[in-house]
Amino acid sequence: MNTPSYSEALEFAIDRSYEINLDMLRSRNLHLDSYNDYLVGTYPPLKAMGDLNAERLLNKVASSIDLYFHIPFCNQYCTFCHFAKEINPSSERVERYLAALNKEMSWSEAALAGKDIETAFFGGGTPSFLTNRQLKTLFDMTNQRFDLSKSEVSFELHPSLVKHADAADCISTLIRGGVNRFVLGVQSLDPTILRILNRGHGVEEVIQVVKLLNEMGIENLSLDLMYGLPQQTLRSWYDSIVGLLEMGIEKFNVFPLMFKSTDPVARHLARGRYQFAGAKERIIMHFMAEHILTKLGYRHGPIFYWTKRSQPHSVQQRRKYDSWNDNNLVPFGVGGFGYMSQCQFYNEADLDRYLSRVEAGEKPVWKGAVLSQDDLMRRTLMFALRSSGVLLSRFKREFGVSVEEYFGRELEILREAGLVCISKDGVMSLTAAGNINSGAVSLLFFSDNVLERVAYNDGRIADKRTDLLEKHDYSPAARYGTSAEMQAVFR
């Protein structure tokens, strides 16, 4: 493996970083500081949603669907995590939750019958928190409801799984249940950073679980790796990438740390407890990873995703960003968000409310929005730009109007700032600077109506450190303003 040296990767990254004119981008509101930056997970975002009749979700289910199952249980509270979770629940609590998942699935069973299930994703939380017996229960009930035999089935693992004597049995159970893609959350190979993040594992567990998966013939494995972490240096970032490459990892999700006031790591930032990379350093880290992976034959998929194989990084990520509103993401479990029948929606994010509503025979929809034609066009641009780009001819065919006509002002702003480009084939995509500033690019496409609703609901939040809307709103809209305002909120 002819890996670029640290000095080579650093020199390349510093040179590339000069291409990003931060002062110009900031002056045009096209660069968000790290505490304000966030990827758009849903559009409209949660803070722009209201009440939604769950039956509306079954009106026009697409022929091709994706499933998401949320397992909200963990052994520890990672300092950067804001997804729905409960720490070390009792076995009875887990069993109650699995029964609720099964009951929730029955609500949409008839509407989903006969649909092609392209992907199923088991995330969390920590899905591998479940015991082997509970894993069998989960997949028995899932496979009774859905035919996953031709689907990409992904399952998130925690490296601490390898500490259990029955780790191999659990993985065998997952394979028999239909799992054919594993996602391993690593984040860093720096022991100090792992302790600060309260990850509950060390470097040795990462090495051992990768070894175990290799021994069991697992070929489709993707690892999560983060930059901008507390106490992370350019050298430790390089060492983490190279350390994982030396393990033979062929798929990566490389992404920056994103802050939310509900997370302990945000308070660490505000109080100056640890050293965090500034904007320039984060850009250099981004380009270091790009240089190393490109040199070793990896190719870029959807934003942050890298793969060395000829196959896509994952079908799930490709469909998430490139599907142009013609697939439906169906969530099951607390805090799951989905898209069905041209509606964006969230399940209840409070576990007790989720359980009580499902046990009462209700679909546990918390908030939602029916998307207008305008919303659909904006959602399409935001998502497709983060992946293979927007084929302009297809956009006009789908919506009856060209991007240039409908979004002329936004397009001019982005092109002048060097954040998007249009190929000879008529594909609009993000440039290198656009990739790094993708949150700001997406925010430019938010409608005034959506921004007004976000601002209204954001203004009603009494405490951003505990509020569920704040915790689960995955968007860059109405965040923390100036550094002083951010510190006041995060403290």
Side-chain angles (χ1 to χ4, degrees):
M1 185 172 67
N2 191 21
T3 307
S5 67
Y6 170 67
S7 58
E8 178 190 337
L10 180 59
E11 182 179 2
F12 172 89
I14 291 174
D15 286 345
R16 287 295 306 275
S17 72
Y18 287 122
E19 299 173 13
I20 313 298
N21 188 336
L22 286 175
D23 290 337
M24 178 272 290
L25 293 172
R26 283 173 176 145
S27 70
R28 302 181 187 186
N29 295 319
L30 292 173
H31 173 80
L32 302 172
D33 289 321
S34 56
Y35 50 84
N36 278 317
D37 201 7
Y38 210 93
L39 286 181
V40 174
T42 68
Y43 188 81
L46 177 60
K47 288 180 185 175
M49 294 182 185
D51 296 333
L52 180 71
N53 182 351
E55 296 300 323
R56 174 68 175 76
L57 302 176
L58 304 181
N59 286 355
K60 191 180 178 183
V61 179
S63 60
S64 177
I65 62 175
D66 301 286
L67 307 178
Y68 175 75
F69 300 88
H70 190 76
I71 309 298
F73 306 120
C74 299
N75 290 113
Q76 73 291 315
Y77 194 131
C78 298
T79 61
F80 60 85
C81 178
H82 40 261
F83 298 112
K85 58 189 169 292
E86 189 168 291
I87 309 303
N88 291 318
S90 66
S91 178
E92 292 76 18
R93 179 80 159 174
V94 176
E95 302 291 342
R96 183 183 173 193
Y97 183 77
L98 292 177
L101 266 185
N102 194 32
K103 191 167 185 178
E104 185 191 357
M105 281 188 258
S106 68
W107 175 81
S108 55
E109 190 170 25
L112 301 183
K115 308 296 183 183
D116 293 328
I117 300 173
E118 298 292 334
T119 71
F121 193 100
F122 294 82
T126 307
S128 55
F129 174 91
L130 301 181
T131 66
N132 194 19
R133 181 179 60 81
Q134 290 165 344
L135 289 171
K136 289 177 181 176
T137 298
L138 173 63
F139 279 91
D140 282 348
M141 68 189 195
T142 302
N143 284 301
Q144 286 174 4
R145 303 272 187 193
F146 305 108
D147 179 8
L148 303 180
S149 61
K150 298 179 181 179
S151 310
E152 177 190 81
V153 182
S154 304
F155 193 93
E156 289 185 344
L157 295 176
H158 191 277
S160 63
L161 172 67
V162 79
K163 297 178 182 179
H164 301 283
D166 65 346
D169 292 336
C170 289
I171 293 171
S172 294
T173 294
L174 295 174
I175 294 171
R176 286 194 298 271
V179 175
N180 49 35
R181 174 176 175 255
F182 289 87
V183 180
L184 184 64
V186 174
Q187 319 315 345
S188 175
L189 290 184
D190 185 315
T192 298
I193 295 173
L194 292 174
R195 286 193 294 272
I196 293 171
L197 297 179
N198 197 35
R199 283 290 296 156
H201 71 82
V203 176
E204 185 59 29
E205 284 79 18
V206 176
I207 295 170
Q208 291 302 317
V209 76
V210 170
K211 180 182 178 183
L212 176 60
L213 291 168
N214 286 337
E215 290 172 349
M216 298 185 69
I218 304 302
E219 296 184 351
N220 197 350
L221 170 65
S222 175
L223 263 64
D224 290 346
L225 195 58
M226 297 174 68
Y227 60 88
L229 296 171
Q231 299 299 108
Q232 190 176 49
T233 64
L234 296 173
R235 180 74 211 203
S236 67
W237 171 237
Y238 172 87
D239 289 342
S240 288
I241 298 171
V242 172
L244 293 174
L245 288 168
E246 289 174 346
M247 296 180 202
I249 304 304
E250 296 194 341
K251 293 184 178 183
F252 288 96
N253 178 15
V254 181
F255 58 101
L257 172 64
M258 289 175 275
F259 296 94
K260 274 188 172 290
S261 53
T262 52
D263 303 336
V265 75
R267 293 188 286 280
H268 296 163
L269 172 69
R271 295 169 183 169
R273 182 173 179 184
Y274 300 110
Q275 176 186 344
F276 288 86
K280 190 74 170 182
E281 278 186 294
R282 284 164 68 104
I283 291 170
I284 291 171
M285 289 177 176
H286 170 90
F287 282 128
M288 286 178 73
E290 177 185 288
H291 181 65
I292 295 166
L293 294 171
T294 301
K295 279 286 187 179
L296 295 177
Y298 290 76
R299 57 187 175 81
H300 214 172
I303 189 170
F304 305 144
Y305 293 87
W306 293 86
T307 180
K308 198 171 186 179
R309 294 176 173 270
S310 58
Q311 62 183 335
H313 180 282
S314 73
V315 178
Q316 180 241 355
Q317 290 300 330
R318 175 177 55 79
R319 284 175 57 78
K320 181 177 182 179
Y321 296 123
D322 283 345
S323 56
W324 288 58
N325 307 305
D326 54 7
N327 74 312
N328 281 184
L329 173 61
V330 186
F332 298 106
V334 60
F337 62 82
Y339 174 80
M340 295 174 67
S341 302
Q342 297 186 348
C343 298
Q344 191 84 70
F345 68 100
Y346 277 76
N347 274 357
E348 290 282 3
D350 176 85
L351 184 52
D352 287 318
R353 285 209 307 265
Y354 168 83
L355 290 171
S356 62
R357 289 192 62 186
V358 173
E359 290 167 352
E362 301 177 37
K363 168 64 177 171
V365 173
W366 176 31
K367 299 287 184 181
V370 180
L371 274 67
S372 66
Q373 180 82 343
D374 177 75
D375 292 328
L376 292 171
M377 288 191 285
R378 295 175 187 276
R379 181 180 187 270
T380 292
L381 283 179
M382 292 177 207
F383 283 12
L385 276 174
R386 299 221 301 264
S387 188
S388 59
V390 181
L391 181 59
L392 300 181
S393 59
R394 180 182 175 186
F395 187 95
K396 186 168 185 177
R397 203 166 52 242
E398 294 266 339
F399 298 111
V401 62
S402 71
V403 172
E404 294 92 334
E405 290 175 273
Y406 202 83
F407 295 108
R409 180 188 66 86
E410 293 87 348
L411 186 55
E412 182 180 0
I413 291 171
L414 294 173
R415 292 182 74 172
E416 286 184 355
L419 300 184
V420 300
C421 59
I422 298 176
S423 71
K424 293 180 181 179
D425 299 327
V427 176
M428 183 171 71
S429 56
L430 295 175
T431 62
N435 270 321
I436 290 170
N437 293 283
S438 61
V441 172
S442 294
L443 190 56
L444 189 64
F445 289 105
F446 277 46
S447 72
D448 291 341
N449 177 266
V450 164
L451 289 173
E452 288 169 6
R453 282 184 281 154
V454 168
Y456 174 76
N457 286 313
D458 183 75
R460 301 177 69 191
I461 295 174
D463 186 350
K464 285 199 170 189
R465 294 166 297 181
T466 60
D467 187 82
L468 283 178
L469 275 180
E470 176 66 22
K471 186 173 186 177
H472 296 279
D473 184 83
Y474 309 123
S475 95
R479 285 175 66 79
Y480 310 114
T482 66
S483 177
E485 290 169 330
M486 172 276 295
Q487 290 180 359
V489 170
F490 283 8
R491 285 178 187 275

